[in-house]
Amino acid sequence: MRAVRRTAKEAIAALATLAVHESRVLPRVGRELAGWRGVAAAVPDPRLRDAALAALTEKASNVEAVAVFATLAPARDRPAVVRAVVALQVAIDYLDNLGERPGPDPLRDGLQLHRSLATAFVSEAERGDWYAHHPQREDGGYLDSLLEACREAFASLPSHTTVEAPARAAALRCGEGQSHTHAAVPSSAPLREWASRLAAPAGFEWWEAAAGASSSVAAHALIALAADAEASPEEAVLVEAAYFPAIGALTVLLDDLVDREADARFGEHNYLDYYGSTEVAAERLTSIVGLARAALPPLPRSARHAAILAGVLAFYLSSPGARTPFATTIRARLLRAGGPLVRALASILRLRGND
């Protein structure tokens, strides 16, 4: 009976989250992205301009997806959360594109560029020579403008001082993870060494911790928490622990699952390759789903966090990339582990065109 009540509560929260996301959040996201396209079009260097515009066009779905965290915020602070989340994710996606066109030392270049992300969560503006190791430099202030927008919106939230330090740490960790992941071909040794230093709990493989660190979801969840006027440091710790590494790892591992065949064609790094077999991968991802679900009940607005996790699983498991020969077993196991809500959401997304 308790499980039935929990499923019903999560289903109601999922429907409410979906309604707010589509009716209140996505229109504002669209306006924010349109504004940033105008700024990106003015970037002086043509290669940086192309990278900025491509990120806004090709990765707009990333921004729309992480904007779901704005549904956790009270209506009065939701616009500021949307602005902060959009600006931060656009910056991350832009830097991701630059990581695909690195300088002579890809890791050094990536780490320097991604250090900029920490400035989104500081009390005073900081500007660094982010392009010191990159072939192109003249972005017309585009990257700093994105991070300044995030910083100003974040600073307007009632509990930003409570959340500032963990949000900054999460953004830095994400940047370091992105940098090491891009540099992991041809050798993953530096990635593994970096992952071994992460403060991940026992029970996670090194590549699972690295995948979780590379995700931006912990930073976005903390931005949303900053909109809670009664947020405490203890709650910030709980939110951080729920999203890193478990939920963050799922977002990256499932993204690699649906992109695995394309990554193999182009020689790209893929975290699923570290598993010995499909069966092992299915077992581990199922275990991570369990860990993620177990971390949610103590969180404020836990039902909405559970709805977000269900949405993450459903989104990826409804993708055609999750129905390849390699992915079939993993998909089946995760649909069972996710429960009826994930299965229902996956069916809805498939019918709505996630194919």
Side-chain angles (χ1 to χ4, degrees):
M1 185 62 68
R2 182 178 297 176
V4 172
R5 288 198 298 269
R6 178 179 176 182
T7 299
K9 184 177 180 180
E10 290 179 0
I12 293 169
L15 291 174
T17 300
L18 181 63
V20 173
H21 186 238
E22 293 199 348
S23 65
R24 303 293 184 182
V25 173
L26 287 183
R28 190 172 293 274
V29 171
R31 293 191 291 271
E32 290 287 333
L33 289 175
W36 287 117
R37 287 189 190 98
V39 180
V43 171
D45 187 280
R47 292 192 179 183
L48 297 180
R49 182 169 63 248
D50 287 348
L53 290 170
L56 287 162
T57 301
E58 298 165 6
K59 300 181 180 182
S61 60
N62 290 351
V63 182
E64 292 172 347
V66 296
V68 73
F69 287 102
T71 65
L72 294 164
R76 67 180 181 277
D77 290 313
R78 196 173 294 140
V81 172
V82 171
R83 183 156 177 76
V85 164
V86 169
L88 180 63
Q89 189 62 43
V90 169
I92 289 170
D93 290 339
Y94 168 61
L95 294 177
D96 185 52
N97 274 4
L98 295 188
E100 296 169 0
R101 315 168 190 180
D105 186 338
L107 182 55
R108 189 182 185 198
D109 181 22
L111 289 172
Q112 179 67 10
L113 284 165
H114 283 90
R115 285 190 184 101
S116 63
L117 297 178
T119 68
F121 303 101
V122 294
S123 300
E124 297 181 4
E126 295 180 12
R127 291 181 183 269
D129 188 4
W130 314 127
Y131 297 90
H133 309 299
H134 198 73
Q136 289 79 41
R137 301 175 59 87
E138 299 302 323
D139 77 347
Y142 177 67
L143 179 56
D144 280 327
S145 294
L146 285 166
L147 298 171
E148 182 178 356
C150 180
R151 180 167 58 250
E152 290 180 353
F154 178 73
S156 73
L157 298 173
S159 294
H160 71 276
T161 55
T162 300
V163 178
E164 184 178 287
R168 183 168 59 248
L172 272 174
R173 186 177 61 228
C174 171
E176 291 177 359
Q178 295 274 352
S179 301
H180 280 88
T181 300
H182 274 300
V185 177
S187 172
S188 62
L191 173 63
R192 181 169 187 162
E193 181 182 351
W194 170 77
S196 70
R197 299 194 298 269
L198 292 170
F204 286 87
E205 301 286 358
W206 71 263
W207 62 88
E208 294 166 349
S214 302
S215 174
S216 63
V217 292
H220 295 308
L222 288 164
I223 290 172
L225 181 63
D228 182 348
E230 298 181 356
S232 67
E234 293 76 18
E235 287 173 334
V237 170
L238 290 172
V239 169
E240 162 78 357
Y243 282 86
F244 171 72
I247 299 178
L250 287 171
T251 66
V252 173
L253 293 169
L254 290 174
D255 190 64
D256 277 8
L257 178 70
V258 301
D259 289 343
R260 189 169 183 270
E261 291 191 350
D263 287 345
R265 283 197 304 272
F266 295 105
E268 299 288 340
H269 176 270
N270 189 292
Y271 279 105
L272 272 295
D273 292 339
Y274 294 107
Y275 293 109
S277 67
T278 303
E279 186 61 35
V280 172
E283 180 180 347
R284 286 299 308 154
L285 266 66
T286 300
S287 176
I288 295 172
V289 169
L291 291 170
R293 288 176 63 87
L296 297 180
L299 270 55
R301 310 202 76 178
S302 60
R304 286 232 170 166
H305 284 284
I308 289 171
L309 174 58
V312 167
L313 294 170
F315 174 79
Y316 286 111
L317 298 178
S318 65
S319 168
R323 293 192 286 275
T324 63
F326 176 86
T328 299
T329 299
I330 298 172
R331 178 177 183 272
R333 290 279 295 275
L334 293 183
L335 283 173
R336 286 198 299 272
L341 177 58
V342 171
R343 292 192 292 272
L345 289 174
S347 297
I348 292 169
L349 289 172
R350 190 164 61 250
L351 290 172
R352 291 179 62 178
N354 200 28
D355 284 346

